[in-house]
Amino acid sequence: MKAFVLIHVQPGLVTEVVRNINRLQGVQEAHMTFGPYDAVAVILADDINHLGRLIARDVQPIPGIIDTLTCLVVEP
């Protein structure tokens, strides 16, 4: 299962947050973005429960993250 995680970050901390996200197991890639969100991460997980644990346990507690929006990828 793949998901795009859109991330709001406190001003001035985006570079550090993206660096920390890229270190997490299950993160395929993470980047700073411009627009309504400050960063985006591509995360691979075994199933929805695994994805939920990764987001709640590993991503959201990173200092500087305000909130996240997880978008599940659906293959046609």
Side-chain angles (χ1 to χ4, degrees):
M1 159 171 281
K2 182 187 283 189
F4 296 108
V5 181
L6 307 174
I7 306 160
H8 280 135
V9 179
Q10 291 176 357
L13 297 178
V14 129
T15 302
E16 183 177 341
V17 165
V18 168
R19 187 177 320 119
N20 286 328
I21 291 171
N22 270 312
R23 293 179 181 146
L24 298 175
Q25 187 162 354
V27 173
Q28 195 171 30
E29 57 187 291
H31 303 279
M32 181 174 71
T33 58
F34 293 111
Y37 291 90
D38 305 301
V40 63
V42 179
I43 297 181
L44 299 176
D46 297 329
D47 55 37
I48 192 76
N49 292 319
H50 182 221
L51 178 63
R53 285 191 303 273
L54 286 172
I55 300 297
R57 182 191 66 210
D58 298 334
V59 175
Q60 290 178 338
I62 291 173
I65 291 182
I66 297 169
D67 62 32
T68 61
L69 174 68
T70 302
C71 302
L72 300 178
V73 173
V74 178
E75 300 295 335

